[in-house]
Amino acid sequence: MSNKAARNLFIFGSLFFFVILVILTFDTLAKLPKRAPEITEEVNAGKMVWHKYDCIGCHTILGNGSYFAPDMTKVTERKPKEYLKQFLMDPKSVNPKASMPKFGITSEEAEKLIAFLDWISKVDTNGWPPKPILATAAGVAGRELTSGQRLYQSLGCSNCHMINGIGGTTGPDLTHVGSKKDRVWLFGHFKDPKAYVPNSVMPGFGHLSEQELNDLTDYMIALK
Amino acid sequence: MTIKHESQKIAQNFYTFAVLLFLVQVAIGIIAAIQFIKPDFFILNFNIIRSLHINALVVWLLVGLMGATYYVVPEESETELWSIPLAKFQFWATVIAVTAVVLGYIWMGLNPQANTLVFGTRLLNEGREYIEAPRWADILIVVSVLVFLLNNFMTMLKTKKWTGIQGTLLGGLTFLALMYLPGMFYTQSMVKDQFWWWWVVHLWVEGSWEVIAGALLAFMLMKVTGVKREVVEKWMYIEVGLVLFTGILGLGHHYYWIGTPGYWLWVGGIFSALEPVPLLVMVWDAFRTTREARVVTNKAGLYYTVAHAIFNFVGAGLWGVIHTLPQVNKWTHGTQITTAHGHLAFYGAYVLLILSMIYVTLPAIRGVKEYNQSRAFLSFWWMTISMIFIVLTITGAGMVQTYMERLMGLDYVAVKTTYNMWFWILRAIFGVGFLIGVGIFVKDYFKIGKEPVPAVSPAAEKA
Ligand code: HEM
Ligand code: HEM
Ligand SMILES: [Fe+2]
């Protein structure tokens, strides 16, 4: 191959692939609106707040960004809005061990952010983030669960709490909670956490039946 | 070795600024590494430190590329630069703009509320990774790059010697300038935001920058080993051609999970898996040329050039391809595996590229034939061994994270603060090793050509 032929191959070959990229780009942009909910004023305002505080400098979103803090793609599915709002405004008031700084986010800004994060959680991401396969497998093969344990799983307590190293870190570790709290406290706290811990962001479970609350309490007491 | 055209000396201004920023970038990297262990270690939060680290990196690489171009173009065109005052102006404008942006980040770090909206854009920080620089700075950057391109283009027009090397170099630089534009407008959708953001980031490092690297590799091999231009230029066309044939559609490896259609899994998977091929051809090219070389006086220059080719392949090619298929990327996306790849790729492909350009051209600029090369080898090994260990450490952290968080479903923070703690500590330690290497390099940079050459041959002294 002569140098001239090699050069022409380089130039025209590259242009060819660039044209394909442009075509795919048009096609993708046309398909995007159907793959996500409509963008409201509030969602866009939330995105602006996201940029203002440079959240991407610590977090990933849709898996891109920095790897210093948890991914934000599905956070509104894991955590209730009340909790998120208070965390954003003052992380340490929710979790004394939090290392996310307090930026001075106002209550309106926090609401906009949550609307934005809620929008993100509904984007069709081709199934990302994937469900942890080993955890699912362990659940199937696991022993018979008590009804308290089953409630613990279905109510999403482990999004916030950890037992024996498994679960979230934003609420207190429950591995030994049975030796710290008594039955009355636990039962009452489930019904109305704020009555026991002022400013608690744990959601109340007063809508559960007496039986279910007793089962949960039994499970907690067993954790010594 | 001396320069043929007085104006090539302007390269040195750019090199000096680049080298100093390199030192700052790495020192800041160590602060970032310590914040993984102790988050409130420094007055500035992690996000500000990280922005400084990666922006300093990108800026010093670009400034180094500009210096290298101001050296190569007069040499290839066989004439003086079109306008030295314009080049000097462009240099100082860049220094001032960069300083202003850095001060802005620090201000925002001290007072987050200062990042207000001005004319619909952020005053201090755009809040988008790598392109954090606010819009007013974007515009200054574009102007600076246009002035730079104009100056070089006019120089080429003076003699119209359209060599393949300078044509490819200028083509790559123009592509680079154009690919900054997709990052310069606001979109309401985060999906579109990331879509265009990746045009900038991916089409830079896996498109235009690799084209520039191909051209500079050809230039350095020709200068250091004295091989024939026809041969290096032919292989250069093949390399940069393959880079773009695979790299342009390889962009799809960032469109798997951000809300874009499913066909990108096929497009991105197939094309990006081929991206290591041209990088391997570059390694082969460097070895073949080196074997044919008879007399090489600038051994350090050649050493860095070959190392650049090798680590470009290892960091970008190998550490890229391991997580590029959608079946793997589904689990590793956005973990420390990405950080490991980012470090080795940037180090191998671009840090070593600029350092080898400095070692190939600086002796001529300073007007010396020989110089004490022992420090060049010493800094190379301090930096390279430390970087390899940083990358292995972080690859380990990434594997633990992928397994425990993504496969077992443990909490992100739990994995980060317990299981991975030792990896963070080791990274910080190896980071200090890297900083020592950079320190030796910076000292060498200022000493080359300014101290007597030792009597022993530098090659013997290396051992
Ligand atoms: C010199 C060339 C390259 C450089 C400097 C580079 C650098 C980077 C950086 C810094 C990131 C992280 C971006 C972020 O912050 O989100 C990244 C991501 C990525 N790179 Fe590269 N890269 C190069 C070449 C390659 C090649 C050749 C491949 C594939 C064969 C590749 C595959 C990937 C993939 C798959 C990701 C996404 C990781 C994720 O899903 O989190 N890279 N690259
Ligand atoms: C020439 C050397 C270096 C280069 C080219 C480099 C490049 C980069 C890049 C491209 C990123 C963004 C990462 C990504 O998105 O994947 C980054 C982040 C980072 N760098 Fe460096 N860096 C260098 C040296 C160092 C050193 C010596 C340290 C300290 C040990 C360090 C610590 C960090 C940390 C802690 C982050 C944040 C990573 C994260 O978000 O998980 N870097 N660096
Ligand atoms: Fe890429």
Side-chain angles (χ1 to χ4, degrees):
Chain A
M1 187 163 41
S2 73
N3 274 25
K4 201 159 170 240
R7 190 193 68 197
N8 288 341
L9 184 69
F10 159 52
I11 294 175
F12 293 107
S14 305
L15 281 177
F16 171 75
F17 284 105
F18 199 80
V19 169
I20 297 192
L21 175 63
V22 171
I23 294 171
L24 290 178
T25 295
F26 273 106
D27 183 73
T28 296
L29 292 179
K31 291 200 166 83
L32 287 186
K34 276 202 225 81
R35 300 177 58 89
E38 205 192 328
I39 300 169
T40 61
E41 287 279 312
E42 206 184 11
V43 169
N44 180 47
K47 181 171 180 276
M48 306 267 268
V49 180
W50 172 268
H51 292 308
K52 174 183 172 190
Y53 292 103
D54 188 32
C55 310
I56 201 87
C58 290
H59 290 277
T60 49
I61 190 162
L62 300 170
N64 293 314
S66 311
Y67 319 109
F68 186 76
D71 186 73
M72 287 287 116
T73 313
K74 300 283 178 193
V75 72
T76 55
E77 287 182 5
R78 285 198 313 269
K79 300 281 160 79
K81 301 211 164 109
E82 275 300 296
Y83 162 94
L84 287 174
K85 189 170 168 191
Q86 194 173 326
F87 187 90
L88 288 171
M89 291 167 64
D90 186 0
K92 284 203 173 54
S93 76
V94 171
N95 170 12
K97 282 188 288 188
S99 55
M100 173 157 147
K102 183 174 173 180
F103 295 110
I105 296 177
T106 63
S107 144
E108 297 86 74
E109 282 180 328
E111 269 159 27
K112 291 172 184 163
L113 271 172
I114 291 167
F116 164 68
L117 292 172
D118 207 34
W119 180 85
I120 281 285
S121 75
K122 299 198 176 78
V123 171
D124 176 355
T125 56
N126 297 326
W128 195 88
K131 295 259 168 304
I133 37 177
L134 296 181
T136 321
V140 173
R143 315 155 267 118
E144 195 65 25
L145 297 177
T146 66
S147 61
Q149 284 171 324
R150 241 178 288 132
L151 279 169
Y152 185 86
Q153 282 192 351
S154 63
L155 295 171
C157 312
S158 70
N159 284 331
C160 297
H161 293 289
M162 186 177 276
I163 296 177
N164 294 324
I166 296 177
T169 48
T170 44
D173 189 324
L174 298 181
T175 312
H176 303 295
V177 70
S179 46
K180 280 188 256 166
K181 302 282 179 210
D182 59 43
R183 179 168 277 282
V184 179
W185 191 94
L186 287 165
F187 192 90
H189 179 259
F190 284 142
K191 280 177 103 164
D192 184 7
K194 282 197 183 56
Y196 288 74
V197 181
N199 292 326
S200 171
V201 286
M202 169 155 155
F205 291 91
H207 56 280
L208 298 183
S209 71
E210 202 87 344
Q211 178 63 43
E212 288 173 316
L213 287 175
N214 267 323
D215 289 346
L216 262 182
T217 309
D218 286 343
Y219 178 35
M220 294 293 113
I221 291 289
L223 295 168
K224 298 262 179 184
Chain B
M1 258 199 305
T2 46
I3 43 172
K4 299 189 195 75
H5 310 283
E6 198 50 29
S7 48
Q8 287 175 292
K9 277 198 176 146
I10 190 78
Q12 214 182 156
N13 292 19
F14 289 84
Y15 287 165
T16 306
F17 186 43
V19 163
L20 293 176
L21 271 179
F22 181 24
L23 190 65
V24 173
Q25 176 236 327
V26 171
I28 293 177
I30 294 175
I31 300 178
I34 297 175
Q35 287 183 326
F36 264 78
I37 306 162
K38 260 180 77 48
D40 51 1
F41 164 71
F42 200 68
I43 25 165
L44 298 172
N45 289 325
F46 177 83
N47 59 322
I48 302 292
I49 291 297
R50 193 184 196 273
S51 305
L52 288 170
H53 179 61
I54 59 181
N55 282 255
L57 168 74
V58 173
V59 167
W60 83 256
L61 292 176
L62 284 175
V63 169
L65 276 181
M66 286 177 179
T69 308
Y70 279 130
Y71 183 94
V72 171
V73 168
E75 177 119 346
E76 293 279 295
S77 291
E78 297 179 18
T79 179
E80 293 291 341
L81 200 62
W82 184 59
S83 166
I84 296 185
L86 196 61
K88 287 220 167 105
F89 165 77
Q90 190 243 325
F91 172 72
W92 285 108
T94 309
V95 174
I96 292 168
V98 170
T99 313
V101 171
V102 167
L103 291 178
Y105 291 169
I106 295 175
W107 185 16
M108 170 179 170
L110 299 174
N111 174 17
Q113 299 299 336
N115 193 22
T116 50
L117 270 188
V118 179
F119 299 121
T121 67
R122 290 285 160 203
L123 176 64
L124 304 177
N125 184 323
E126 226 174 76
R128 298 168 79 203
E129 196 194 359
Y130 296 104
I131 49 175
E132 285 95 346
R135 196 58 41 81
W136 55 265
D138 290 345
I139 293 165
L140 289 181
I141 292 166
V142 170
V143 171
S144 163
V145 170
L146 287 181
V147 169
F148 159 80
L149 285 177
L150 175 79
N151 208 347
N152 285 294
F153 188 67
M154 296 310 282
T155 311
M156 294 181 196
L157 273 189
K158 270 165 74 181
T159 55
K160 300 206 174 63
K161 288 198 189 321
W162 298 116
T163 71
I165 288 178
Q166 70 171 351
T168 309
L169 183 60
L170 194 74
L173 288 165
T174 311
F175 187 27
L176 184 161
L178 286 176
M179 284 308 114
Y180 194 61
L181 305 180
M184 281 179 62
F185 54 87
Y186 180 81
T187 46
Q188 296 202 342
S189 156
M190 195 58 173
V191 176
K192 281 188 196 161
D193 189 306
Q194 295 204 354
F195 184 88
W196 290 115
W197 177 82
W198 276 119
W199 271 56
V200 183
V201 177
H202 173 100
L203 292 181
W204 266 19
V205 298
E206 288 159 71
S208 59
W209 291 33
E210 279 298 352
V211 170
I212 295 166
L216 292 180
L217 177 67
F219 177 81
M220 292 190 289
L221 289 175
M222 196 174 74
K223 286 293 146 188
V224 185
T225 67
V227 286
K228 282 227 294 288
R229 176 183 290 275
E230 284 71 49
V231 184
V232 281
E233 285 197 342
K234 174 147 80 189
W235 282 106
M236 173 191 74
Y237 284 131
I238 293 173
E239 288 152 9
V240 296
L242 288 174
V243 161
L244 292 186
F245 299 172
T246 58
I248 289 176
L249 291 179
L251 174 58
H253 64 184
H254 305 296
Y255 295 161
Y256 299 155
W257 326 117
I258 64 165
T260 36
Y263 56 71
W264 285 108
L265 272 70
W266 289 96
V267 178
I270 291 169
F271 282 90
S272 71
L274 295 171
E275 281 185 52
V277 174
L279 309 183
L280 192 59
V281 177
M282 289 183 191
V283 177
W284 172 79
D285 195 12
F287 273 108
R288 178 183 48 82
T289 319
T290 309
R291 230 181 304 113
E292 283 167 16
R294 302 276 137 71
V295 269
V296 177
T297 43
N298 191 347
K299 289 214 172 54
L302 182 62
Y303 206 80
Y304 270 82
T305 308
V306 175
H308 150 70
I310 295 174
F311 282 100
N312 188 3
F313 171 67
V314 176
L318 289 185
W319 249 259
V321 89
I322 52 171
H323 62 156
T324 204
L325 292 178
Q327 293 79 356
V328 177
N329 192 262
K330 184 169 193 167
W331 303 100
T332 60
H333 180 47
T335 62
Q336 292 294 323
I337 299 285
T338 310
T339 307
H341 157 67
H343 277 86
L344 199 56
F346 260 113
Y347 177 69
Y350 303 122
V351 171
L352 284 177
L353 175 71
I354 302 297
L355 299 193
S356 31
M357 272 309 287
I358 289 180
Y359 276 113
V360 169
T361 62
L362 195 65
I365 293 174
R366 299 249 169 100
V368 289
K369 267 209 186 58
E370 280 185 37
Y371 60 100
N372 181 350
Q373 305 193 354
S374 61
R375 241 186 265 117
F377 293 111
L378 190 64
S379 73
F380 175 82
W381 285 112
W382 270 100
M383 287 193 287
T384 303
I385 292 179
S386 307
M387 183 48 78
I388 288 175
F389 276 104
I390 291 175
V391 168
L392 289 179
T393 306
I394 294 307
T395 305
M399 283 159 59
V400 168
Q401 185 188 3
T402 304
Y403 188 80
M404 302 203 111
E405 184 197 338
R406 300 289 170 83
L407 266 66
M408 284 174 60
L410 293 197
D411 183 72
Y412 170 94
V413 176
V415 177
K416 180 187 165 203
T417 53
T418 53
Y419 305 103
N420 268 342
M421 188 49 81
W422 278 104
F423 288 116
W424 310 143
I425 295 172
L426 287 173
R427 162 169 64 184
I429 294 171
F430 296 128
V432 175
F434 194 89
L435 185 66
I436 293 173
V438 181
I440 300 170
F441 165 73
V442 174
K443 181 169 178 208
D444 200 32
Y445 174 81
F446 287 107
K447 290 272 183 179
I448 283 178
K450 298 188 174 163
E451 57 185 1
V453 182
V456 257
S457 98
E461 210 182 62
K462 178 189 139 197

